[in-house]
């Protein structure tokens, strides 16, 4: 029957989509999680969800945009889950925890880990916009297109998110950072 894909056609479509987009999904996940193992988990999760979609699910017209958003959301979900459980992967444990605070900030990516946890605490929409802008380097018009919103909404959300993160960073460092111009 026209318009109905057979199992074999669906498997080939998924395989082609995987071949074309798995690298991008992995890179997005890695930038957010900062961990190869977690990025691989996100990659697997995204494509398993795609395979498990039911026949009555909405048709995915732009696979790249869909998978991009799915990768960002799955990576943020993973980070939020870790935050809620209070766990950090062994390879992400700070190695220099006995150093004085300023030295420790520079050692072993502690600030990056703090930022990942902070982003995981944001609302899903703010975290997604922040990740697209600052982890993926997307410009506001492109983010608006990916998320189906306006550039103004993206700009306001980014401004508020940056302000919140700056305040939390000041609290994290005890205000010991120097603003750069």
């Amino acid at each position: 029957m026209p318009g109905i894909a057979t199992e074999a056609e669906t498997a080939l479509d998924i395989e082609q989509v995987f071949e074309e987009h798995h690298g991008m999904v992995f890179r997005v996940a890695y930038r957010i999680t900062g961990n190869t193992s977690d990025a691989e988990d996100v990659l697997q999760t995204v494509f398993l969800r795609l395979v498990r979609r039911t026949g009555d699910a909405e048709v995915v017209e732009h696979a790249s945009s869909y998978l991009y958003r799915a990768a960002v959301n799955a990576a943020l979900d993973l980070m939020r889950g870790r935050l809620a459980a209070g766990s950090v992967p062994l390879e992400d444990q700070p190695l220099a925890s006995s150093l004085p605070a300023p030295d420790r900030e520079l050692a072993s990516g502690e600030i990056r880990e703090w930022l990942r946890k902070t982003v995981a605490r944001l609302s899903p929409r703010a975290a997604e916009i922040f990740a697209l802008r600052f982890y993926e380097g997307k410009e506001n018009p492109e983010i608006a297109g990916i998320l189906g919103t306006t550039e103004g909404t993206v700009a306001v959300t980014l401004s508020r998110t940056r302000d919140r993160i700056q305040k939390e960073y000041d609290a994290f460092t005890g205000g010991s950072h120097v603003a750069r111009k």
Side-chain angles (χ1 to χ4, degrees):
M1 293 175 87
I4 299 177
T6 66
E7 256 185 68
E9 290 172 331
T10 303
L12 289 175
D13 290 344
I14 295 295
E15 186 176 325
Q16 181 181 359
V17 169
F18 180 82
E19 287 299 320
E20 291 175 6
H21 301 287
H22 76 278
M24 178 267 301
V25 170
F26 178 84
R27 284 188 303 276
V28 168
Y30 183 81
R31 285 186 193 119
I32 292 171
T33 64
N35 178 297
T36 302
S37 177
D38 288 342
E40 289 168 349
D41 288 347
V42 168
L43 176 70
Q44 181 177 356
T45 298
V46 166
F47 281 98
L48 280 174
R49 286 178 183 166
L50 188 62
V51 168
R52 291 179 179 157
R53 287 172 54 98
T54 61
D56 61 345
E58 190 175 320
V59 174
V60 175
E61 292 186 24
H62 303 287
S64 181
S65 293
Y66 173 85
L67 292 170
Y68 199 94
R69 288 188 72 184
V72 168
N73 288 329
L76 290 169
D77 287 347
L78 181 91
M79 296 301 294
R80 285 185 185 106
R82 282 245 169 80
L83 200 59
S87 66
V88 176
L90 185 58
E91 63 270 18
D92 287 346
Q93 294 289 336
L95 300 175
S97 60
S98 62
L99 296 174
D103 295 334
R104 191 173 59 239
E105 283 181 17
L106 299 174
S108 73
E110 186 174 312
I111 291 174
R112 280 189 303 273
E113 183 60 27
W114 169 86
L115 182 60
R116 286 186 184 97
K117 289 177 181 178
T118 301
V119 170
R121 286 191 307 269
L122 296 171
S123 73
R125 186 65 156 196
E128 187 174 20
I129 290 171
F130 185 87
L132 288 169
R133 180 71 172 102
F134 295 106
Y135 291 158
E136 291 301 311
K138 302 290 184 194
E139 296 296 326
N140 291 5
E142 189 175 6
I143 295 168
I146 290 170
L147 300 179
T149 190
T150 66
E151 289 181 48
T153 298
V154 170
V156 168
T157 302
L158 284 172
S159 177
R160 289 177 180 164
T161 302
R162 280 192 307 254
D163 289 347
R164 175 179 170 182
I165 290 173
Q166 182 65 55
K167 287 177 185 171
E168 290 189 31
Y169 181 74
D170 290 345
F172 174 71
T173 62
S176 64
H177 78 285
V178 175
R180 295 182 182 165
K181 298 198 180 212

